[in-house]
Amino acid sequence: MDTQPEFDVLRRERSSWWYATRRKLLRDAVVHAVRNKREARILDFGCTGELEFSDSPYMRVLNAHSSLPVLAFHQINESQNLICTRSEELAFASNCFDAVVAGDILQSVPDDGIALRELRRVLKDGGSLCLTVPAYPALWGEDDEARGHQRRYTASELRRKLNNCGFEISRVSYLVAVGFLPSILERVGKNIFKKSIVLHRTSAETPAWANTAMVLLLDCERQLIRFINLPFGTRLVCWARKPTLVTERVLVPAWERRWARHPVAQGMG
């Protein structure tokens, strides 16, 4: 099987403005999740965070993906701890990760509910999840089809699915607000002129100056969403956690304990 065309696509994506912004976003989420821990296990499902903790030998990152060509590409780029596993049945024990990041993975899996429940299963109690997905079904186009997407999300839909799978939502915010209006105009134009998937796959790379400008603009958005949730954008970012199981100590009154030890015999009044 010739993987060179897929490698070329991955190479272009790796140099894109969204890849750079998403990587910074996921790294920030992990640093925040493990900031008070001496040692931690982190799962990068999708291999998009490129997480490194070279200064801390007790921080271990596992990079997982369901695609062998994607894993081979990351191996060529010197990524370590690469594991091939399906989203519907992650090859990890339950309660083994302190934090999980999933950059643009959920929209491509056949059943996102099963994938979310698996992510919850492998998280430790109180563990953190950060994920990104494309926003607004109205923006669906040939780009989604070319990338193998199954769906796009709204903020309310993403919240509902995460809640149904047992997560506690910390925050949900839109991102790439600067690209929202251009994306709508582009979608309207493509609906009129019907650009094909084949032409889209062979389109030219984004110019370096445009990449740089978008990265700078999205750095501003990343700082902004630390304080507010953006009301619109072409992407969604969610921070959630697996609830901690609380064990309550039940205090039984002394008189109940006494009668439990010496029950009244039948027929006595």
Side-chain angles (χ1 to χ4, degrees), residues 106 109-117 151 153 157 161 165:
L106 201 61
V109 301
D111 191 322
D112 53 357
I114 294 177
L116 285 173
R117 283 190 287 272
R151 62 194 72 81
Y153 296 85
E157 179 187 10
K161 290 191 174 185
C165 292

Side-chain angles (χ1 to χ4, degrees), residues 147-166:
R147 295 173 185 272
H149 293 177
Q150 304 286 326
R151 62 194 72 81
R152 279 176 167 261
Y153 296 85
T154 61
S156 59
E157 179 187 10
L158 187 59
R159 281 180 176 275
R160 175 177 54 80
K161 290 191 174 185
L162 283 162
N163 281 325
N164 289 344
C165 292

Side-chain angles (χ1 to χ4, degrees), residues 112-128:
D112 53 357
I114 294 177
L116 285 173
R117 283 190 287 272
E118 275 295 282
L119 293 177
R120 183 185 183 278
R121 179 184 65 80
V122 300
L123 268 174
K124 293 180 181 179
D125 291 343
S128 299

Side-chain angles (χ1 to χ4, degrees), residues 5-267:
E6 189 165 357
F7 279 14
D8 291 339
V9 172
L10 292 170
R11 194 172 293 109
R12 286 198 299 270
E13 288 183 355
R14 196 167 186 261
S15 62
S16 70
W17 52 268
W18 173 238
Y19 194 99
T21 300
R22 181 180 59 196
R23 182 172 61 238
K24 295 176 183 177
L25 187 71
L26 298 179
R27 285 178 176 177
D28 289 345
V30 169
V31 169
H32 183 268
V34 302
R35 66 187 185 279
N36 295 323
K37 297 183 179 180
R38 182 174 176 271
E39 57 181 313
R41 287 167 55 92
I42 301 140
L43 173 63
D44 180 359
F45 188 53
C47 305
T48 53
E50 296 187 3
L51 306 170
E52 295 180 1
F53 293 92
S54 55
D55 56 336
S56 178
Y58 300 105
M59 299 290 179
R60 188 184 180 194
V61 180
L62 297 181
N63 299 289
H65 204 286
S66 60
S67 169
L68 285 175
V70 171
L71 292 172
F73 174 80
H74 285 284
Q75 186 175 30
I76 292 172
N77 287 278
E78 301 182 351
S79 295
Q80 298 179 348
N81 300 325
L82 298 167
I83 297 174
C84 185
T85 183
R86 297 169 57 237
S87 60
E88 299 88 351
E89 192 175 358
L90 295 176
F92 306 109
S94 300
N95 306 305
C96 64
F97 291 106
D98 298 274
V100 173
V101 294
D104 287 353
I105 285 293
L106 201 61
Q107 73 274 7
S108 301
V109 301
D111 191 322
D112 53 357
I114 294 177
L116 285 173
R117 283 190 287 272
E118 275 295 282
L119 293 177
R120 183 185 183 278
R121 179 184 65 80
V122 300
L123 268 174
K124 293 180 181 179
D125 291 343
S128 299
L129 168 71
C130 180
L131 58 85
T132 62
V133 291
Y136 293 115
L139 294 179
W140 178 272
E142 74 281 348
D143 178 75
D144 295 285
E145 296 175 10
R147 295 173 185 272
H149 293 177
Q150 304 286 326
R151 62 194 72 81
R152 279 176 167 261
Y153 296 85
T154 61
S156 59
E157 179 187 10
L158 187 59
R159 281 180 176 275
R160 175 177 54 80
K161 290 191 174 185
L162 283 162
N163 281 325
N164 289 344
C165 292
F167 283 98
E168 288 182 355
I169 310 298
S170 300
R171 288 183 60 200
V172 176
S173 175
Y174 287 97
L175 196 63
V176 197
V178 295
F180 182 64
L181 182 58
S183 295
I184 291 179
L185 297 177
E186 181 186 20
R187 186 72 261 137
V188 172
K190 287 182 177 179
N191 284 340
I192 296 174
F193 298 106
K194 300 295 182 183
K195 190 174 181 182
S196 70
I197 296 175
V198 175
L199 289 176
H200 178 82
R201 281 178 170 172
T202 57
S203 60
E205 295 183 44
T206 305
W209 64 267
N211 256 334
T212 303
M214 283 298 293
V215 169
L216 291 175
L217 288 171
L218 292 178
D219 281 346
C220 296
E221 286 194 18
R222 283 195 308 110
Q223 299 302 320
L224 187 60
I225 63 174
R226 293 184 178 185
F227 307 100
I228 63 171
N229 294 330
L230 298 181
F232 56 86
T234 63
R235 297 294 197 281
L236 272 167
V237 56
C238 175
W239 297 266
R241 63 187 295 273
K242 180 179 178 179
T244 303
L245 294 177
V246 179
T247 304
E248 296 183 357
R249 183 180 178 184
V250 179
L251 298 178
V252 180
W255 66 270
E256 286 191 10
R257 294 199 300 271
R258 185 174 65 252
W259 284 113
R261 288 195 301 266
H262 305 286
V264 178
Q266 291 292 332

